[in-house]
Amino acid sequence: MTDVRPARPEDLAFVLETVMRLGAFGPPPWRTAEEIGEADARVVRAFFEKPPEGASLLVAEAEGAPLGFIYLEVLRDYFVGEVHGHVGILAVTEAAEGKGAGGALMREAEMWARKRGYRRLTLNVFDGN
């Protein structure tokens, strides 16, 4: 069974290691996998130092072993100005792929958005993901 909980300081190393997997999903031609990973790592480090207002980072685990994480942030829609929730980063370990960790994290993200009264929860992905 997959449990999801708020990140703790001791999760930083796991999250930084896992976020580097994102470059494997075919970044756009104008970005390298390293650029993608390092940009997301900067966001993660900043969260652990001082979380932005409204942001949340959740970790999925089974039997105490971390499987993946999701970084949730608050954005304002460019076109209509509506504040909404956004999945900034979602990553699972290779071993956890296809085993429900990502789904568990997305269900928690939906609950996070609903609790805050957001009508939308957005997510951007690479073509290969």
Side-chain angles (χ1 to χ4, degrees):
M1 180 173 155
T2 302
D3 297 312
V4 178
R5 61 166 173 77
R8 300 185 291 248
E10 59 267 24
D11 293 318
L12 177 59
F14 165 76
V15 171
L16 287 173
E17 179 182 331
T18 306
V19 80
M20 297 311 286
R21 296 193 68 232
L22 294 175
F25 291 103
W30 60 89
R31 294 275 184 249
T32 66
E34 292 77 23
E35 285 176 306
I36 299 293
E38 189 48 44
D40 285 330
R42 277 194 306 274
V43 169
V44 166
R45 284 188 207 99
F47 177 86
F48 277 90
E49 289 173 18
K50 183 178 181 204
E53 187 173 336
S56 187
L57 198 148
L58 306 173
V59 173
E61 63 183 10
E63 299 176 11
L67 305 173
F69 76 94
I70 192 167
Y71 174 70
L72 303 165
E73 57 192 329
V74 179
L75 297 181
R76 182 172 299 277
D77 183 271
Y78 178 80
F79 297 100
V80 297
E82 177 185 50
V83 173
H84 65 280
H86 180 73
V87 176
I89 307 170
L90 172 62
V92 299
T93 64
E94 188 173 357
E97 285 183 13
K99 297 184 178 164
L105 288 163
M106 284 303 297
R107 286 188 293 281
E108 285 293 322
E110 290 170 356
M111 289 187 340
W112 172 87
R114 279 192 204 101
K115 282 170 67 175
R116 286 157 180 77
Y118 300 141
R119 293 181 338 117
R120 298 179 200 276
L121 178 66
T122 59
L123 166 71
N124 299 321
V125 297
F126 295 129
D127 286 339
N129 190 349

